[in-house]
Structures are given as C-alpha cells and as structure tokens.
Amino acid sequence: MLYNVSIMVNLWGALTSRDVRLLKRAAALLKYTPLASALDFHAVLDEMWHTVQEELDFTIEANNIAEFKRLNDGVAYADCPATFPKWCTKNVLVMEYIAGHQIDDADGLRADGYDLNEIAVKLVHNYIRQITVYRFFHADPHPGNIRVQGGKIIWLDLGMMGRISPREAELYMGIIRTIYDQDVPALTQTLLALGQYDRAPDQQALTERIGIFLHKYESMPMADMDMGVLVDEFVQILNEYGVSVPSLTMLGRSLLVIQGMLTSVSPDANVIEIVAEYVKNTALSREHIEKKVKTIAQQLVRSGEKLTVLPTQLSAFLSKANAGQLTVNVKKSWSDAARAAQSKLLNRLIFALLDCSLLFCAAITCLAPLPRVLGLPWLALVFFAAAVAVTIALFDRRRWSV
C-alpha cells in the first residue's frame, strides 16, 4: 500500500546543557536593566531548554499529535496529521502529508470557495477551546503551522504544546467572562488568584485602575482595537502593582499572533469580538449550565451545613449581649493611594508652618542692629529668601499631586 507521507528527520544533534549555562551567565548581566523587574531571564532560559529538548524528541511530538487528535475527535472543522507509529523514533517522525492552503493564503482559499470569515471565527473558537476546555494547546500558532485542507483547519508542528491546570483554565475563562460582563471587581479577584506577587497589592486601587482601562476601550469599536497595545497596556498595569501573570502574557502573545493572521485572512474579523461571542454562546451551552447548577448545589449544601450550627451561635451571641460582654472591633482600611494622599497633605501642612515661621523670624530680625544688605539686616534677608523658596515649593503642583 502506498502512503503520501511527510518525514521529519532530526539533524540538529543534542543541544548541550553547557550552552544553556553560558546563556545564564550572560543573562546575569541583564539584572541591571529595567526589564529585570518584569522578567525572570533564568526562568525564560529554563523554559527554552525544556522546550528545545521536547522539540528535538519526535516521540514527544508523536504523542502530542495522538492526544490532540483525540481531543478534537468530535470537532468537524479542526484536525492534525495522522502519524505512522511503527515508523516513528526519537529522531524520525513519519506522518500524513498535508497539502491544502496556508491559513494566510487568502487568494488561494477564496479561489477554492472558502468563506474567510468563517475560517477566522472557527480558528479562534478552536484555539480558545484548546485553552479553556482541553487545557492542551498549540504554543506556536504562526501561519506556517496552520493549513486548511478538505474543509478543515489542520494544526501542524505539535512539538511545542502548552498545558494548564483545571484551575488555571477556569480562571482564564473567568477573565474572559468578567471582561465581557464588565465586572471589574470580579476581574481583579480572578487576576490576583492567577497571578504571582511578593506583597499583596492594593486591591481597591488596582480595581479602580483596571476599571479606567476597561472604560477606555468600552466605547471603542472593536475594529479599531489594537490587540498588541491592549495586551501590553494591561500587563503594564499589573506590573505597576507588582502582579506578574506569566501565563497571561503567553496567552496574549498567542492571541496577538492569531490576530495578525486574521488580518490577512479576514481583515474585518477581530479576535476580541470573536472571543466575546464565544463566551456568550458558552454561557448558554448545556455543559456550562450543568456545571453552574452543580456549583450552586455545592454552595447550597455548604450553606445548609452552616445553618445547622446557626442556632447555637445565635444563642451564644444573645447570652453575651444580655451579660453585656459583646465586643465590637472596628478596623479602618486605608488603600495605598489614600495613604499617599494623606502623607502628602501632612507634608504640605508642615511646609506651610515652616513658611510662616520663616516669615515671622524675618519680621522680628528686621529691627536687629546687624549689617544691612539691600536695606535689610542680612539675617532678615536670609529668612526672607528661605521663605520665598519654601513658598515656591508649596505651590509646586507636581510635588504635591497624587
């Protein structure tokens, strides 16, 4: 039997760990650059080393292909090449040959009668599903790795795949859903649950900052949104509050690449708009409704368990109230922004008092029998000059703005 196959042979050889150690030594110099606070270069190199090892082992890619094909088995419009396991080794990968059109070949696709907008929508839907449902997704979705053949989107080069936990997948979906619902407090909580930080950020101030960011894009037509600028600005806001979400950066980068592909395939298509529609449809799906009902049922069970101890707690509360033993602790929480404003107000008050003191001293020393400069005792002139300097500082808006 004849097969039309594609054969990949590893001619690279092994990349030695010594090369990685040398790169890490060079990366140590980068800690003195502004990027050091936002990026862990050693972690990036470790990830690169791990990825290269996977890329050079074709048995891993063969297993990835089998898993990807299984997960997309029920999807009519997405697939990947079949492999021939008996001919695959660590250095040789034999798989089905895929012809068709590269996904950004708009003219070729149009000539074969494809609906380019439909391809764009299905591409984004499948990729979001890979992340939020399969939790196993293509980590390098550039145009050369995606083709269209036989009415299907074919994903190629599955050597580099990403995996996330069920919790991360749920949080990703939560981020998309809260952005769609414009629920800023819930979005902030989801980001903090997903992110990493050394010190708990000011949640109230971060929520306000994210609210301003979303409001900025709320009235903007989706066709005018620049995905790259949007992702960069969002990540920068999180970095300002010391929150790092590496996987969110990765997701943003992948969506950015896909948005670039859609520009060639269907210029009118927009990733954000397609994702929003996906979230809307997912919220009405049977699977999501069943999951929601299950979550509500679990919450009701927990609430029922708490109700069983409520009479005992209420009785203890009333006993203390009758005995006059109730204690109320009041804790006032100040945000970092409020503390900064209070501190600057206090400093300004101190400057004002200092200004008054200098003017008072200048007035008193005007009658002192001291050598005169410009008609005034030299000490009085010094006090006046100092008072003028403090007054200028007092009315400098840049110094006191919050």
Side-chain angles (χ1 to χ4, degrees):
M1 183 180 292
L2 295 176
Y3 296 101
N4 194 11
V5 300
S6 174
I7 302 176
M8 294 177 63
V9 180
N10 177 16
L11 300 175
W12 275 60
L15 180 69
T16 65
S17 58
R18 184 188 63 180
D19 299 323
V20 177
R21 287 199 300 270
L22 290 173
L23 287 172
K24 284 187 175 182
R25 288 181 184 176
L29 299 175
L30 297 175
K31 67 181 180 181
Y32 302 107
T33 67
L35 284 174
S37 60
L39 189 64
D40 186 344
F41 295 103
H42 281 76
V44 171
L45 287 171
D46 287 338
E47 180 63 26
M48 285 176 58
W49 171 236
H50 178 71
T51 301
V52 166
Q53 286 180 306
E54 288 191 348
E55 284 277 310
L56 296 178
D57 185 350
F58 287 152
T59 58
I60 293 176
E61 181 165 356
N63 293 333
N64 289 343
I65 290 173
E67 184 172 358
F68 189 87
K69 186 174 275 292
R70 177 181 60 80
L71 291 170
N72 284 278
D73 185 48
V75 183
Y77 59 85
D79 203 353
C80 66
T83 61
F84 298 85
K86 65 179 180 180
W87 297 330
C88 294
T89 68
K90 183 176 181 179
N91 295 311
V92 178
L93 179 63
V94 183
M95 56 188 171
E96 173 190 5
Y97 176 73
I98 301 297
H101 298 279
Q102 191 163 295
I103 195 158
D104 59 352
D105 180 13
D107 293 336
L109 290 168
R110 197 179 292 110
D112 278 358
Y114 285 103
D115 182 335
L116 301 187
N117 188 64
E118 182 184 2
I119 290 175
V121 171
K122 287 182 174 178
L123 173 69
V124 176
H125 280 192
N126 184 248
Y127 195 66
I128 294 298
R129 189 168 181 80
Q130 289 177 34
I131 295 169
T132 60
V133 179
Y134 306 149
R135 307 192 309 276
F136 180 69
F137 56 94
H138 202 296
D140 191 20
H142 64 76
N145 284 340
I146 309 172
R147 302 185 79 84
V148 179
Q149 175 180 284
K152 289 187 176 184
I153 297 171
I154 310 294
W155 296 82
L156 307 176
D157 192 7
L158 277 71
M160 189 163 63
M161 302 294 291
R163 291 183 187 273
I164 55 176
S165 67
R167 177 177 176 273
E168 287 176 315
E170 185 64 31
L171 290 173
Y172 274 134
M173 200 62 189
I175 289 173
I176 298 171
R177 193 174 291 117
T178 51
I179 291 176
Y180 178 75
D181 293 337
Q182 293 288 305
D183 189 346
V184 181
L187 173 59
T188 304
Q189 290 178 357
T190 305
L191 287 168
L192 292 178
L194 189 62
Q196 302 169 358
Y197 41 86
D198 296 328
R199 176 172 166 267
D202 184 339
Q203 188 168 333
Q204 180 182 343
L206 180 57
T207 301
E208 292 173 359
R209 185 71 179 84
I210 292 175
I212 294 170
F213 168 79
L214 291 181
H215 181 71
K216 172 184 174 182
Y217 289 97
E218 184 179 12
S219 58
M220 183 183 295
M222 289 191 175
D224 296 339
M225 292 184 185
D226 186 322
M227 188 72 183
V229 173
L230 190 148
V231 171
D232 287 343
E233 188 176 341
F234 194 56
V235 171
Q236 185 178 354
I237 290 172
L238 294 176
N239 287 340
E240 286 175 7
Y241 287 86
V243 180
S244 172
V245 190
S247 49
L248 180 64
T249 305
M250 174 273 300
L251 177 62
R253 183 189 67 82
S254 298
L255 291 176
L256 182 58
V257 172
I258 289 178
Q259 176 67 70
M261 283 190 284
L262 297 190
T263 304
S264 302
V265 179
S266 180
D268 296 332
N270 185 280
V271 167
I272 300 175
E273 190 171 21
I274 296 172
V275 171
E277 186 65 26
Y278 174 85
V279 171
K280 180 180 177 182
N281 294 335
T282 303
L284 299 174
S285 69
R286 179 179 176 181
E287 180 184 356
H288 180 72
I289 292 173
E290 289 177 351
K291 190 172 184 180
K292 200 72 176 175
V293 169
K294 183 178 178 180
T295 301
I296 293 172
Q298 290 173 342
Q299 291 174 343
L300 286 173
V301 170
R302 286 195 293 268
S303 298
E305 292 172 351
K306 291 179 180 179
L307 283 173
T308 59
V309 299
L310 184 60
T312 304
Q313 293 176 340
L314 183 60
S315 175
F317 173 82
L318 292 174
S319 298
K320 286 187 176 182
N322 290 331
Q325 296 175 345
L326 281 182
T327 303
V328 179
N329 295 319
V330 180
K331 182 179 179 182
K332 188 169 184 179
S333 176
W334 290 84
S335 68
D336 289 344
R339 289 195 192 93
Q342 185 187 37
S343 177
K344 290 198 174 184
L345 182 61
L346 181 61
N347 289 339
R348 196 171 188 182
L349 179 60
I350 293 171
F351 265 67
L353 291 173
L354 177 61
D355 198 17
C356 292
S357 300
L358 289 169
L359 288 172
F360 181 72
C361 291
I364 291 177
T365 54
C366 278
L367 302 176
L370 297 171
R372 294 179 175 263
V373 179
L374 300 178
L376 292 172
W378 67 268
L379 187 57
L381 193 61
V382 169
F383 282 128
F384 271 123
V388 169
V390 173
T391 302
I392 292 173
L394 194 59
F395 288 95
D396 183 359
R397 293 185 178 181
R398 290 174 299 178
R399 177 186 293 272
W400 307 110
S401 59
V402 179

